[in-house]
Amino acid sequence: LLYCGPHNMKDRIMRRSNVTQRILLVAVGACLFCYATAQAKKPSQPGGGGDAPYALVDLEGLPVAGRDFFQSAALSVNEPAGAGSVQVVGASYADAGDYHPALWNVNPDGSFATTNLGLPPLAREAFATDINDWGVITVNTTQSYDIQNGIPILPAWVSVPGLPLQLLPFDTHGADPMGINNVMEIAGTHSNGTGAWWQLDAAGVPGDPIDLGAGWAAFIPSDISDSDPAGIADSGVAVGWNQHQPAIAYFVNGVLQVAPLDPSRGAATGMATAISPDGTWVVGWLGAPAGNGDEMAFRWSATTGITELGRLGGDASIALGVNNEGDVVGWANTGDRRRPQTAFLHKDGQLFDLDLLADTGGKIQLLEATEINNAGHIVGKMNVTSGKSSEWHAFVLIPTSPEQ
């Protein structure tokens, strides 16, 4: 899970479905809008309104010298600050066509500033994987110039405001942080995919990793090609998988506890990919009970158990983010050859195609939504088309009314 192979962070962003396999990564020849407030009338909107409920902000990437190319992807968003602004993290193409960790500070009116967080030492490429409400960011190296015995060393880092980058301690080949909560706990993997837990001290310095079990009993925080980092609640409960089934993990008096979400499903495969900040809701995907079906997005709570969220005309849906209200975001196949994949929102018991809620104007397709905060801001990745050229851009959807 930590090598520059099919499960690294770049592939988790770029190899999501048939859509991402077909897109030609060439320069965009026209300047597309950065902010568009939707006005189109839509039936059956979240909250019951008629106008499109979200304003779309195109978080185009950092400029690349000599190229009209602004590719980027957003992975996480925190809660609004006092003025209503939010911080979004992810990655942007930069020097030599490699990804740099990026931070976008987005204002309520859709204006934003982009910061290149810079590459850690010996990194060729890195992603900002998560951000908490204190502005602490986890950074994962995905390609490295540090090669030992033919194996790349891929360390992870923590960016604490006002401090230099802090190395996340690891064994052997590297670390991959998937989520950080507001009490400075980090869940992820290290040592060739072993589940791990870190705690930052009062000075912002991370301690040594605590392994999350071994062998068949191991708990692995969400870290596969169909998931995104979002996996630890403020209560310290982390999400992922155990014995190929969706599971949660937490500590009681220093002892690791691992619990499958629905033992009654027997051999059902799947992954828990995200948990709400208050720990009420868990989301992810399930396979068929016999293990031979396509993915189905689900939402779980201790009260409701697992609820399947449905699909949007295609053969798969994956849930990637959830807030305290139980609103869920992710992606789904559509069965439409013109746009095989779309981002979705599940709210008030209905599954919505986010492409239809943001008035994308035909030049943009929302490919996946990776996270939703408690204020309703949604972030993810979209495909932007100009003529015969297209590229990925990060996006944030801003609710146009407090009801969303």
Side-chain angles (χ1 to χ4, degrees):
L1 293 174
L2 298 176
Y3 298 151
C4 295
H7 294 292
N8 66 24
M9 179 62 71
K10 183 175 182 179
D11 286 336
R12 291 208 298 275
I13 299 299
M14 297 306 156
R15 270 194 325 106
R16 201 63 65 129
S17 72
N18 291 335
V19 169
T20 58
Q21 293 170 358
R22 295 178 181 178
I23 295 173
L24 178 63
L25 301 180
V26 295
V28 170
C31 179
L32 300 175
F33 65 87
C34 291
Y35 180 67
T37 302
Q39 298 297 330
K41 300 290 184 178
K42 312 274 195 232
S44 183
Q45 303 293 1
D51 290 337
Y54 295 99
L56 172 66
V57 183
D58 181 350
L59 301 176
E60 63 180 23
L62 300 161
V64 179
R67 302 175 67 185
D68 185 16
F69 196 56
F70 300 95
Q71 186 149 291
S72 57
L75 294 177
S76 181
V77 59
N78 61 12
E79 297 300 327
S85 61
V86 295
Q87 295 176 301
V88 179
V89 296
S92 170
Y93 258 37
D95 299 333
D98 294 318
Y99 280 94
H100 286 209
L103 167 68
W104 294 269
N105 288 283
V106 185
N107 298 315
D109 65 357
S111 61
F112 64 91
T114 308
T115 301
N116 183 348
L117 296 176
L119 290 174
L122 296 178
R124 177 181 173 182
E125 182 174 86
F127 287 73
T129 59
D130 201 11
I131 184 169
N132 68 12
D133 294 342
W134 300 99
V136 180
I137 301 169
T138 52
V139 176
N140 176 33
T141 301
T142 56
Q143 293 191 38
S144 175
Y145 293 108
D146 185 5
I147 309 295
Q148 297 182 15
N149 298 320
I151 298 174
I153 306 302
L154 303 173
W157 305 81
V158 180
S159 175
V160 179
L163 296 177
L165 278 176
Q166 305 290 312
L167 178 67
L168 204 61
F170 64 92
D171 295 333
T172 63
H173 301 131
D176 189 354
M178 264 73 76
I180 182 169
N181 62 18
N182 288 320
V183 294
M184 306 303 174
E185 296 170 320
I186 297 172
T189 62
H190 77 138
S191 302
N192 298 329
T194 301
W197 201 293
W198 294 266
Q199 174 74 61
L200 272 62
D201 64 19
V205 178
D208 290 334
I210 300 173
D211 285 351
L212 301 181
W216 188 242
F219 174 82
I220 308 297
S222 52
D223 182 30
I224 62 168
S225 60
D226 291 321
S227 68
D228 276 302
I232 185 166
D234 290 340
S235 61
V237 177
V239 297
W241 62 272
N242 169 254
Q243 300 182 25
H244 304 296
Q245 298 183 42
I248 58 175
Y250 51 93
F251 287 95
V252 175
N253 297 323
V255 179
L256 177 67
Q257 309 290 319
V258 178
L261 294 184
D262 191 352
S264 67
R265 289 179 175 260
T269 60
M271 168 78 73
T273 59
I275 187 168
S276 59
D278 66 1
T280 300
W281 302 100
V282 175
V283 299
W285 60 269
L286 294 169
N292 60 356
D294 297 312
E295 296 93 340
M296 170 68 74
F298 75 84
R299 185 182 67 179
W300 173 93
S301 75
T303 301
T304 65
I306 284 181
T307 301
E308 295 183 356
L309 303 184
R311 300 190 178 103
L312 290 173
D315 58 3
S317 60
I318 303 287
L320 297 175
V322 61
N323 63 15
N324 290 345
E325 295 296 319
D327 302 331
V328 183
V329 295
W331 66 264
N333 292 343
T334 66
D336 183 346
R337 294 182 61 186
R338 295 167 298 178
R339 56 179 202 106
Q341 179 178 315
T342 191
F344 74 71
L345 167 68
H346 186 274
K347 185 179 178 69
D348 300 328
Q350 297 185 66
L351 191 64
F352 298 94
D353 185 337
L354 278 173
D355 249 0
L356 305 180
L357 301 184
D359 193 22
T360 55
K363 297 292 186 180
I364 289 175
Q365 294 180 359
L366 304 183
L367 297 179
E368 64 183 17
T370 54
E371 192 160 293
I372 181 171
N373 66 13
N374 291 327
H377 297 84
I378 299 171
V379 299
K381 180 184 72 179
M382 62 187 182
N383 182 40
V384 178
T385 302
S386 177
K388 296 182 179 180
S389 301
S390 61
E391 63 187 23
W392 292 296
H393 285 193
F395 72 81
V396 58
L397 296 178
I398 300 177
T400 55
S401 73
E403 297 179 358
Q404 305 312 325

